[in-house]
Amino acid sequence: MHTLLSGKDVATDLLPSLQARALALKEKGITPTLATIRLGSRISDVRYEKSAQKRCEKAGIAFQPFVLPEGSSQNELLQTIRKVNQDLSIHGCLIFRPFPPDFDDALIRAALSPEKDVDGITDVSLAGLFTGTKTGYAPCTAAACMAILDHYRIPVQGKDVVIIGASLVIGRPVAMEFLKREATVSICHIRTRSVKAYTEKADIIVAAAGCRNLITADMVKPGQVILDVGINTTPDGDLCGDVDFTNVAPIVDAITPVPGGIGSVTTTILAQHVLDAAEGIPTV
């Protein structure tokens, strides 16, 4: 029988230390504060924003949302980022992506102060992750994957890891996290000829492509651990991951559910990074 890697259990375990750190900062006259910048009302963004707000409030972190209406210009977005950069009471900022096709992603990411980049989107944070230097913050989802493995004492060193998805948001950052722990990493992407050839040999699979039922029962084997990072919607409107959970879970040794898996830990890591920023501690 498989082990369900509950992200909610991990988040619950980490919460007391976050609350203690937030209280210690407040006793010094510092209220740790997270700002979010959201353009429009994309359902996935709104859901994550609500989850982040709830997690921050539980941890004792203040929450300040900035919502730009649908159709706002790139310049308006940049002005909002500058406002957050200049506000000394804000310690961390989460910017929801992707942006509209005509926006310059690199320009917008560069506009955010690296000191407030608690989700690891700036080049400074990514450089710290890829070079192993302590500058900036790792993307929260990548860090959440490792936190779940740590909580359940799943070894990484020397393991064969396959990551499905090569984005700068999850795929490549989580690959770096595994490499830091001396795993052997393969990344599959849209041009990979046979994803199954990689998954059936892996010890750990990270599914992060945003494609429902991408990982099926014939692609896995007993003994494997699966971290499902995908967020998709079923025809009935329910949330699901990239893995065909019903048919895959009975085969593998351990798997994260969707919802209730990686996402619960991601918001906790976000809160942790805000506290790190308020304390002036780099985390990469």
Side-chain angles (χ1 to χ4, degrees):
M1 183 176 180
H2 69 271
T3 297
L4 190 68
L5 305 177
S6 169
K8 292 180 180 179
D9 290 349
V10 180
T12 298
D13 187 61
L14 293 173
L15 184 60
S17 66
L18 301 184
Q19 292 171 327
R21 291 172 62 189
L23 180 60
L25 284 165
K26 290 175 182 177
E27 289 174 346
K28 297 177 183 178
I30 301 170
T31 300
T33 301
L34 171 69
T36 58
I37 300 177
R38 173 165 56 83
L39 181 62
S41 300
R42 191 164 46 223
I43 293 176
S44 59
D45 291 350
V46 173
R47 281 175 171 166
Y48 184 58
E49 185 178 68
K50 288 180 179 179
S51 178
Q53 180 176 6
K54 183 178 179 180
R55 186 68 58 193
C56 284
E57 289 175 348
K58 283 185 177 180
I61 296 169
F63 185 82
Q64 188 172 347
F66 293 84
V67 181
L68 282 71
E70 194 79 40
S72 296
S73 68
Q74 176 174 289
N75 189 52
E76 288 172 313
L77 177 58
L78 291 170
Q79 287 176 351
T80 303
I81 295 173
R82 284 193 286 269
K83 181 178 180 180
V84 169
N85 286 342
Q86 294 165 4
D87 189 337
L88 298 181
S89 69
I90 295 174
H91 302 97
C93 179
L94 169 67
I95 303 175
F96 287 97
R97 301 156 68 201
F99 307 119
D102 57 329
F103 282 31
D104 187 334
D105 183 88
L107 177 66
I108 296 167
R109 289 189 293 105
L112 180 63
S113 170
E115 292 77 17
K116 298 188 179 187
D117 175 28
V118 289
D119 196 28
I121 69 169
T122 64
D123 288 348
V124 171
S125 290
L126 291 172
L129 178 65
F130 278 77
T131 61
T133 55
K134 293 186 179 298
T135 56
Y137 301 87
C140 294
T141 304
C145 289
M146 310 316 292
I148 284 181
L149 294 173
D150 289 343
H151 177 86
Y152 288 97
R153 299 180 181 178
I154 296 172
V156 171
Q157 187 179 47
K159 299 297 183 180
D160 289 325
V161 179
V162 171
I163 300 166
I164 317 299
S167 74
L168 271 177
V169 178
I170 302 171
R172 280 179 274 181
V174 80
M176 293 301 105
E177 294 283 12
F178 277 107
L179 284 174
K180 282 196 297 185
R181 300 191 183 200
E182 299 181 320
T184 300
V185 180
S186 299
I187 301 178
C188 295
H189 48 78
I190 195 169
R191 301 297 181 191
T192 302
R193 286 180 290 181
S194 175
V195 174
K196 179 181 176 181
Y198 290 87
T199 59
E200 63 186 6
K201 296 178 181 178
D203 298 306
I204 300 172
I205 300 171
V206 181
C211 181
R212 186 167 68 94
N213 290 337
L214 177 66
I215 305 299
T216 52
D218 64 310
M219 300 170 67
V220 301
K221 64 180 181 180
Q224 293 178 317
V225 173
I226 298 184
L227 303 179
D228 191 351
V229 185
I231 298 293
N232 307 290
T233 306
T234 68
D236 296 330
D238 297 326
L239 287 181
C240 66
D242 286 357
V243 179
D244 177 8
F245 185 90
T246 300
N247 294 306
V248 168
I251 299 173
V252 300
D253 274 18
I255 187 170
T256 57
V258 178
I262 302 292
S264 303
V265 185
T266 297
T267 53
T268 303
I269 297 296
L270 179 65
Q272 179 179 297
H273 286 178
V274 174
L275 293 170
D276 290 336
E279 295 167 347
I281 301 173
T283 62
V284 170

